[in-house]
């Protein structure tokens, strides 16, 4: 991957008269993009396809953001995307993956078992497979007093699947550009889905479990996806599982990202790595450039921030363009969960074991801030890149307490000791499921919320942006700031809750908005597989 290195001091680029790689000498606008995560690189690709000349400024030395992998003694630690929604053809999001060349279906095995849930206090262990009817029947047989709730969730998922509206996420067109006709059309397409998103199913899972009598079932239902997620979202994920539209990424999350990075460069886009933006330069109410940590300034016609929202608005723009609504959001909304991930390189195979497992612990872990009652096991047995032959990378993931890890990081020795202690706890947890495994551990790596923050700048080390109140989940957020022209925000902080599809689509949508403003027709010229 090439990098143009550190920028020079002073205004370094001319904003007009550049060459567009797909055409002749034309006057093009320069787009400066902050952050080379999924959203930033997506914005860059579509900017290039539409005749803009773009440059991406990334503080780290590789592209990917939270989509990151790193090597440890022959193992590839995968720090990102657990599963990919819409990995097979036939959905609107897959059509976008195709444009960027990331629809590598052969590399994304379909999940047949979504999760194995194991409840240590009661000994329950159950696989939630892509046969939802079988999972429902098994649960109803075991928890006969809670049949109503089980029926509601699983039948709801099956109904959503049959509704035909499951993949109508409205990502193809920027909401800002939707006419009344578009809105009516999109509401019509999604009408069968919309009814699930309103009323009863809009309640969070924490509310759903209030009516559940059995404690083990409560723990299972809360951890089917996320305890804070609304019921319709959990039902939708289950529906996608049944539909075979949830895939694993067998060449690692950076393998997923690679074709997009290559496409961006092939389209003439430029990366500047090790280039932390400290200020967005504004002149006459317009964003006109970025200033890097080394003091150099780069001039452009448009600035897109694909970086953390808080540091963009309150750091790079010093809070000058935050109105009351923005202030309120940053005061009242919580950043989404962050993780502590213990990655274990194990000298043994785990053939046939479900890649995602959730364990309700018999004894919560109490030494790492807020008590930890749930551990997720990720067994990366579905790809050859994660471990040498005959060996397996296994991860134990815990929800991370930001305050705790941030405080610990101030004392390196104490921080390392906490990480080491948690690694032992993780090994003990894997041992409880796979007796004898401890002796095969040959690599240990621990990342904390502080690690995520340090590497990507995401507030509180959040892995998915906001954790919005459930009634705000469907709201669109403005991606511009009042009083600031030629500036856009994309990525996981520019919408309520991140994820691969929405982050990639947000970069595409920002360029659609740019095109409209410049009276251009949005083009897919140079896309890998444009629609016919
Ligand atoms: C462990 C994990 C599991 C996940 N699992 C899934 C999943 O199963 N399915 C799913 O759909 N999604 C999943 N996600 C979420 C999804 O990966 C993210 O929502 C998405 O990748 C975020 O992309 P982004 O471009 O918005 O942000 P980021 O990836 O955070 O990119 C922002 C970039 O900006 C850079 N930056 C920040 N500040 C500056 C600055 N001042 N100057 C220059 N550069 C800067 C950062 O270094 C970073 O590269 C997961 C995420 C994680 C971490």
């Amino acid at each position: 991957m090439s990098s143009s290195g550190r920028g020079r001091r002073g205004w370094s680029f001319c904003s007009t008269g550049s060459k567009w790689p797909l055409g002749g000498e034309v006057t093009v606008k320069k787009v400066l993009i902050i952050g080379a995560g999924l959203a930033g690189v997506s914005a860059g690709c579509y900017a290039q396809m539409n005749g803009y000349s773009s440059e991406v400024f990334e503080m780290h030395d590789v592209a990917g953001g939270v989509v990151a992998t790193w090597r440890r003694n022959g193992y590839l630690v995968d720090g990102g995307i657990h599963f990919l929604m819409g990995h097979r053809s036939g959905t609107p999001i897959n059509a976008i993956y195709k444009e960027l060349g990331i629809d590598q279906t052969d590399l994304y095995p379909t999940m047949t078992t979504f999760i194995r849930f194991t409840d240590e206090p009661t000994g329950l262990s159950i696989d939630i497979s892509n046969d939802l009817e079988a999972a429902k029947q098994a649960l109803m047989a075991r928890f006969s007093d809670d049949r109503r709730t089980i029926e509601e969730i699983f039948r709801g998922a099956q109904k959503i699947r049959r509704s035909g509206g499951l993949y109508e996420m409205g990502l193809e067109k920027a909401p800002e550009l939707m006419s009344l006709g578009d809105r009516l059309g999109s509401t019509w397409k999604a009408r069968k889905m919309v009814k699930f998103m309103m009323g009863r199913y809009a309640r969070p899972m924490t509310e759903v479990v209030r009516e559940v009598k059995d404690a083990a079932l409560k723990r299972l239902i809360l951890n089917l996806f996320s305890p804070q997620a609304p019921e319709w979202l959990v039902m939708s994920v289950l529906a996608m599982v049944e539909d075979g539209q949830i895939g694993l990424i067998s060449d690692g999350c950076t393998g997923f990202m690679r074709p997009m990075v290559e496409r961006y460069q092939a389209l003439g886009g430029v990366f500047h790595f090790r280039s932390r933006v400290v200020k967005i330069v504004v002149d006459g109410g317009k964003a006109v450039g970025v200033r890097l940590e080394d003091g150099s300034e780069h001039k452009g016609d448009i600035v897109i921030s694909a970086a953390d929202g808080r540091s963009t608005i309150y750091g790079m723009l010093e809070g000058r363009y935050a109105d009351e609504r923005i202030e309120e959001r940053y005061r009242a909304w919580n950043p989404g969960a962050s993780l502590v991930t213990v990655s274990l390189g194990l000298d043994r195979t785990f053939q046939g074991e479900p890649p995602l497992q959730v364990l309700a612990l018999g004894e919560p872990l109490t030494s790492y801030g807020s008590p930890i009652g749930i551990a997720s096991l990720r067994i990366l047995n579905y790809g050859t890149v994660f471990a040498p032959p005959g060996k397996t990378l296994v991860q134990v993931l815990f929800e991370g307490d930001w305050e705790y890890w941030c405080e610990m990081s101030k004392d390196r020795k104490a921080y390392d000791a906490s990480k080491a202690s948690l690694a032992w706890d993780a090994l003990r947890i894997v041992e409880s499921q796979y007796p004898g495994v401890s002796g095969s551990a040959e690599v240990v790596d621990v990342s904390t919320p502080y690690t995520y923050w340090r590497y990507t700048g995401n507030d509180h080390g959040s892995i998915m942006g906001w954790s919005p109140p459930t009634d705000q989940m469907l709201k669109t957020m403005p991606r511009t700031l009042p009083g600031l022209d030629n500036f856009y925000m994309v990525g996981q902080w520019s919408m309520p809750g991140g994820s691969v599809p929405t982050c990639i689509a947000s970069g595409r949508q920002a360029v659609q908005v740019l095109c409209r403003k410049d009276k251009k027709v949005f083009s897919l010229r140079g896309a890998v597989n444009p629609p016919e």
Side-chain angles (χ1 to χ4, degrees):
M1 196 180 298
S2 79
S3 157
S4 59
R6 286 174 185 274
R8 288 155 283 162
R9 220 160 251 285
W11 293 115
S12 54
F13 297 104
C14 176
S15 66
T16 54
S18 313
K19 279 206 169 165
W20 183 24
L22 300 170
E25 188 79 30
V26 283
T27 300
V28 295
K29 283 189 175 175
K30 175 152 286 187
V31 181
L32 308 181
I33 299 167
I34 307 166
L38 286 177
V41 181
S42 162
C45 286
Y46 289 105
Q48 292 299 125
M49 289 179 208
N50 281 279
Y52 296 95
S53 155
S54 71
E55 301 188 10
V56 176
F57 296 85
E58 167 57 49
M59 65 180 184
H60 203 29
D61 53 9
V62 286
V66 296
V67 176
T69 53
W70 53 96
R71 297 223 159 259
R72 288 285 180 271
N73 295 347
Y75 289 84
L76 184 73
V77 176
D78 188 297
I81 314 171
H82 294 163
F83 53 78
L84 187 63
M85 290 173 264
H87 69 299
R88 291 191 299 134
S89 285
T91 62
I93 186 60
N94 192 268
I96 296 181
Y97 296 162
K98 280 192 165 68
E99 291 166 8
L100 296 168
I102 48 178
D103 61 318
Q104 312 165 93
T105 315
D106 296 351
L107 297 176
Y108 310 147
T110 300
M111 284 185 98
T112 48
T113 302
F114 180 51
I115 57 164
R116 168 173 293 168
F117 177 79
T118 303
D119 191 58
E120 281 190 354
T122 58
L124 166 77
S125 183
I126 186 162
D127 288 359
I128 307 294
S129 75
N130 54 0
D131 184 347
L132 292 190
E133 187 57 33
K136 182 177 88 178
Q137 294 303 339
L139 286 173
M140 296 216 294
R142 166 108 193 197
F143 302 105
S144 51
D145 288 348
D146 290 308
R147 292 173 73 94
R148 247 192 67 203
T149 313
I150 299 167
E151 177 77 21
E152 174 175 307
I153 296 171
F154 284 83
R155 214 187 41 203
Q158 290 168 313
K159 275 193 193 162
I160 284 182
R161 184 184 169 209
R162 286 194 293 266
S163 76
L166 180 57
Y167 304 104
E168 300 303 335
M169 302 185 204
L171 297 175
E172 308 91 289
K173 189 164 184 180
E176 296 90 330
L177 303 183
M178 286 209 183
S179 62
L180 182 62
D182 287 333
R183 279 181 205 284
L184 289 174
S186 126
T187 312
W188 178 251
K189 271 204 266 176
R191 69 194 181 285
K192 291 179 186 151
M193 190 66 205
V194 169
K195 70 175 186 218
F196 292 100
M197 296 169 165
M198 308 288 176
R200 184 172 174 80
Y201 301 132
R203 59 192 180 149
M205 296 309 278
T206 43
E207 211 176 301
V208 174
V209 295
R210 279 202 206 133
E211 61 204 29
V212 173
K213 297 182 188 73
D214 188 280
L217 182 66
K218 259 187 204 186
R219 291 188 282 270
L220 185 160
I221 290 178
L222 277 177
N223 293 289
L224 275 172
F225 186 55
S226 154
Q228 285 78 35
E231 191 177 7
W232 65 261
L233 182 59
V234 177
M235 296 190 307
S236 302
V237 172
L238 290 174
M240 285 188 208
V241 173
E242 190 175 56
D243 213 16
Q245 276 292 6
I246 300 249
L248 297 159
I249 303 179
S250 68
D251 62 342
C253 62
T254 42
F256 169 75
M257 176 101 196
R258 194 173 306 119
M260 200 160 111
V261 169
E262 288 169 0
R263 178 92 308 235
Y264 178 59
Q265 290 173 316
L267 287 163
V270 175
F271 284 112
H272 299 267
F273 292 117
R274 296 190 194 88
S275 299
R276 182 194 290 269
V277 173
V278 291
K279 188 177 167 68
I280 294 168
V281 183
V282 178
D283 188 13
K286 291 185 174 144
V288 294
V290 295
R291 183 179 303 152
L292 305 188
E293 205 170 25
D294 66 4
S296 64
E297 287 192 349
H298 297 251
K299 190 178 180 185
D301 301 289
I302 293 138
V303 176
I304 297 179
S305 176
D308 168 66
R310 187 180 293 277
S311 51
T312 299
I313 294 174
Y314 294 99
M316 298 174 220
L317 287 165
E318 297 163 337
R320 281 179 290 142
Y321 302 94
D323 63 8
E324 233 168 74
R325 278 177 60 198
I326 295 168
E327 296 273 356
E328 173 58 18
R329 188 180 323 124
Y330 278 86
R331 226 186 354 255
W333 285 21
N334 292 323
S338 187
L339 295 176
V340 187
T341 305
V342 179
S343 300
L344 301 166
L346 301 176
D347 185 8
R348 57 160 281 183
T349 58
F350 285 80
Q351 219 181 350
E353 291 303 302
L356 277 191
Q357 306 188 18
V358 177
L359 260 86
L361 303 177
E363 289 288 329
L365 306 178
T366 52
S367 308
Y368 314 98
S370 313
I372 298 171
I374 297 289
S376 299
L377 238 63
R378 194 175 171 217
I379 300 183
L380 291 101
N381 55 357
Y382 47 84
T384 53
V385 297
F386 305 111
K391 304 183 180 196
T392 313
L393 184 80
V394 172
Q395 296 182 321
V396 188
L397 303 108
F398 307 97
E399 187 155 336
D401 181 334
W402 164 254
E403 311 296 342
Y404 171 81
W405 290 103
C406 192
E407 191 54 36
M408 293 309 283
S409 70
K410 293 175 187 159
D411 175 349
R412 189 76 224 185
K413 259 174 113 177
Y415 180 66
D416 286 346
S418 271
K419 291 207 305 186
S421 160
L422 189 60
W424 280 113
D425 283 326
L427 197 56
R428 189 179 46 74
I429 288 167
V430 182
E431 176 76 28
S432 73
Q433 302 308 303
Y434 298 98
V437 86
S438 302
S440 66
E442 49 184 30
V443 165
V444 179
D445 179 89
V446 183
S447 59
T448 74
Y450 178 74
T451 319
Y452 278 104
W453 173 78
R454 195 158 52 88
Y455 274 92
T456 66
N458 280 298
D459 193 16
H460 282 64
S462 167
I463 62 164
M464 283 226 203
W466 297 109
S467 167
T470 41
D471 64 337
Q472 306 282 316
M473 287 280 301
L474 298 173
K475 299 253 161 75
T476 52
M477 285 166 55
R479 277 171 286 195
T480 52
L481 296 178
L484 182 60
D485 210 0
N486 296 345
F487 172 78
Y488 301 87
M489 285 178 72
V490 297
Q492 58 181 2
W493 298 97
S494 70
M495 62 191 94
S499 75
V500 173
T502 48
C503 288
I504 288 178
S506 75
R508 189 179 189 270
Q509 291 176 0
V511 176
Q512 289 176 330
V513 174
L514 287 185
C515 288
R516 169 70 65 89
K517 204 172 165 213
D518 288 335
K519 301 191 172 46
K520 296 205 267 190
V521 176
F522 178 69
S523 163
L524 293 172
R525 195 168 156 195
V528 179
N529 286 305
E532 283 154 22

